[in-house]
Amino acid sequence: MESSSATAGVSRRREATRQKLYEAAVTLIAEQGFSATTVDEIAERAGVAKGTVYYNFASKSVLFEELLRHGVGLLTASLREAAESTARAGGGKVDALDAMIRAGLVFIDRYPAFTQLYVAELWRTNRAWQSTLMVVRQQAVAVVEGVLREGVENGEFSDEIDVPLTASALVGMVLVAALDWQSFQPERSLDDVHAALSRLLQGRVSGRRG
């Protein structure tokens, strides 16, 4: 019993340390780029010894790869919870997509440095972690694809839609709109941005009625 408690305590402390390293790394890399960021700087920003970085991660590249997994994993979980909460409340698939848009905006508002880094890395093809990035990206997009497919199956959406492309477009819309919001229109509220994207989702931008 005591051994189990001790093991759990060690695990919690290690997870807390890794979280500090993730936060330090993402902030520094977003500020000055991957190549210019050193392990010494990451350790200093996290408030730990340099050896602690290597105890948790074999290298700076491994740290960054795990950072991508961690960050996109949080995003994926928030999208999935938004869809599941909508289903439990009896909402339709459009409602689920709308809830996922809001969840994505909330995530980006909370983790702006990670989001900037993630979007920048999507366009690079010479990184050692490119395959990992594609895998974790697909995990997030797959949650949206699942809602779209269910909507097609129950007749809420047209069976003519291209599910994979539509899912990618929705995720991309949220990412780009949120980054534009934070960089060029910071005076807007999250509710304001969500309302604008919600109107796009629901096809209410043409002004037509009926």
Side-chain angles (χ1 to χ4, degrees):
M1 194 74 173
E2 291 180 2
S3 176
S4 176
S5 297
T7 301
V10 170
S11 178
R12 284 194 298 271
R13 287 194 295 275
R14 186 176 187 191
E15 186 55 38
T17 298
R18 289 168 73 93
Q19 184 63 41
K20 287 196 292 185
L21 291 171
Y22 287 143
E23 292 173 359
V26 73
T27 303
L28 285 166
I29 295 170
E31 289 173 355
Q32 58 194 34
F34 177 81
S35 298
T37 300
T38 67
V39 171
D40 287 308
E41 289 174 319
I42 293 172
E44 182 179 358
R45 180 69 66 93
V48 301
K50 181 178 180 179
T52 301
V53 180
Y54 289 114
Y55 175 75
N56 285 276
F57 305 100
S59 66
K60 185 175 71 170
S61 291
V62 171
L63 167 56
F64 189 68
E65 186 170 340
E66 289 303 311
L67 169 63
L68 291 172
R69 289 184 185 277
H70 176 72
V72 180
L74 291 176
L75 173 60
T76 301
S78 68
L79 295 178
R80 184 177 294 112
E81 174 56 28
E84 292 175 352
S85 294
T86 303
R88 288 194 296 269
K93 299 309 174 185
V94 170
D95 298 319
L97 292 174
D98 190 50
M100 293 165 85
I101 286 174
R102 185 174 185 85
L105 291 173
V106 169
F107 174 88
I108 294 165
D109 189 45
R110 184 176 180 184
Y111 303 106
F114 173 80
T115 305
Q116 292 170 12
L117 206 54
Y118 170 68
V119 172
E121 289 302 314
L122 283 174
W123 295 100
R124 295 192 172 101
T125 57
N126 60 341
R127 300 296 207 190
W129 50 79
Q130 189 66 24
S131 60
T132 296
L133 183 60
M134 292 301 100
V135 169
V136 295
R137 170 200 167 275
Q138 185 52 38
Q139 289 172 352
V141 173
V143 179
V144 184
E145 286 184 6
V147 172
L148 288 170
R149 286 199 176 91
E150 290 171 2
V152 170
E153 290 169 2
N154 69 19
E156 191 170 346
F157 302 140
S158 167
D159 60 8
E160 295 181 355
I161 69 169
D162 185 319
V163 169
L165 187 57
T166 302
S168 296
L170 286 170
V171 173
M173 175 183 74
V174 173
L175 287 172
V176 173
L179 290 178
D180 184 88
W181 159 41
Q182 295 186 333
S183 299
F184 305 112
Q185 305 179 65
E187 71 282 359
R188 290 181 177 271
S189 68
L190 191 151
D191 287 339
D192 189 22
V193 177
H194 175 225
L197 298 186
S198 182
R199 282 190 287 272
L200 278 174
L201 171 68
Q202 298 177 43
R204 292 189 283 115
V205 294
S206 69
R208 296 177 183 173
R209 299 182 182 276

